[in-house]
Amino acid sequence: MTTLFISDLHLSADRPDITDCFLTFMKEDTKGIDALYVLGDLFEMWIGDDDDSPFHQQIKTAFRQLTDSGIPCYFIHGNRDFLVGKRFSDETGVQLLPEHTVIDLYGKPTLILHGDTLCTLDEAYQRYRKKVHNRFIQWLFFRLPLAWRQNIGEKLRSNSGMANQAKREDVMDVTPDEVVKIMAQFGVRAMIHGHTHRPAIHDLSVENQPAVRTVLGDWYDHGSVLVCNPDGNQLETRNFAESYRT
């Protein structure tokens, strides 16, 4: 009995090392598992389900093979791929979940989310997030030609990178009070999220009861996987192929 969690792969055609590690993970690590959860930022950029590039088809095929084998896969949107929609779900068999979802993880109610909503000190990002999640703005965006959307996405990605370089580290991390607030709101004592790229397992207190927050790692230098079973949870890494190591 095993459930796997991953996030922040930032898959793109520019990083074949990450892609190969992911595809190996999908073939080898997912055999016989109970479920796979992807907690956002699977892709470096997703500008619409109509982007049928060979690279995207390759990733979708890996998910379809997994779900066709009878293993359920769930996806929560990240800040890079919040436009993943129904067509992607239909083509892959991956089930899309709300941004805050409570699951039963071997008897323990656990809140799963991408994690960007916890970074409340980053007020500029939260304002940006509110705009791009506006349904009308998304409706307008999807009516632009694919090439235009790709250009806009590249510009937003570049601007985001430059903006983050100027931000303090604490601003880009979660706000502890927000973590406690959200866990209390959903009545849980366990949380799993990504986004911050700071893998760790944190002990904390929620309403005077012991709680735990698990942060998933990114895949920039190696794969990062949270392996859960009835005996507990463990953060693990997966190495890139030898040909990609420096």
Side-chain angles (χ1 to χ4, degrees), residues 17-200:
D17 50 349
I18 302 176
T19 301
D20 286 354
C21 187
F22 166 71
L23 294 176
T24 299
F25 163 81
M26 292 292 282
K27 290 179 180 178
E28 298 181 359
D29 290 58
T30 59
K31 293 178 180 177
I33 65 173
D34 293 328
L36 170 65
Y37 288 85
V38 183
L39 303 190
D41 284 4
L42 172 67
F43 297 100
E44 174 66 6
M45 181 178 66
W46 188 266
I47 46 80
D49 289 359
D50 57 336
D51 186 345
D52 291 325
S53 68
F55 171 73
H56 286 160
Q57 291 295 341
Q58 182 183 35
I59 303 304
K60 287 189 284 188
T61 296
F63 280 110
R64 174 49 71 181
Q65 290 173 344
L66 177 70
T67 57
D68 280 351
S69 72
I71 294 174
C73 181
Y74 305 94
F75 179 88
I76 289 181
H77 296 94
N79 54 292
R80 298 280 187 160
D81 49 20
F82 59 89
L83 294 178
V84 167
K86 185 177 184 300
R87 176 174 166 182
F88 177 89
S89 177
D90 291 341
E91 292 178 351
T92 61
V94 173
Q95 301 178 52
L96 306 183
L97 298 177
E99 64 181 18
H100 296 85
T101 297
V102 176
I103 63 172
D104 183 342
L105 188 59
Y106 303 114
K108 178 178 288 187
T110 301
L111 176 63
I112 59 174
L113 64 163
H114 177 58
D116 56 333
T117 56
L118 300 172
C119 302
T120 56
L121 292 180
D122 193 347
E123 296 178 355
Y125 168 73
Q126 295 300 335
R127 289 194 297 270
Y128 161 81
R129 187 183 191 280
K130 185 176 181 179
K131 290 178 182 177
V132 297
H133 281 261
N134 182 282
R135 293 295 185 184
F136 179 66
I137 291 177
Q138 291 182 6
W139 181 86
L140 291 175
F141 182 75
F142 282 137
R143 269 134 192 88
L144 297 174
L146 179 61
W148 291 21
R149 282 182 273 138
Q150 289 172 330
N151 289 335
I152 292 172
E154 289 291 350
K155 179 174 288 189
L156 289 174
R157 182 174 66 166
S158 176
N159 291 343
S160 174
M162 290 187 292
N164 287 341
Q165 291 178 7
K167 293 177 181 177
R168 301 194 320 268
E169 286 294 315
D170 62 315
V171 169
M172 293 189 293
D173 202 355
V174 302
T175 306
D177 288 347
E178 185 69 14
V179 171
V180 173
K181 172 186 171 183
I182 294 298
M183 293 181 74
Q185 177 183 331
F186 283 89
V188 299
R189 300 297 176 262
M191 170 189 283
I192 301 172
H193 70 82
H195 181 65
T196 63
H197 301 194
R198 301 176 184 185

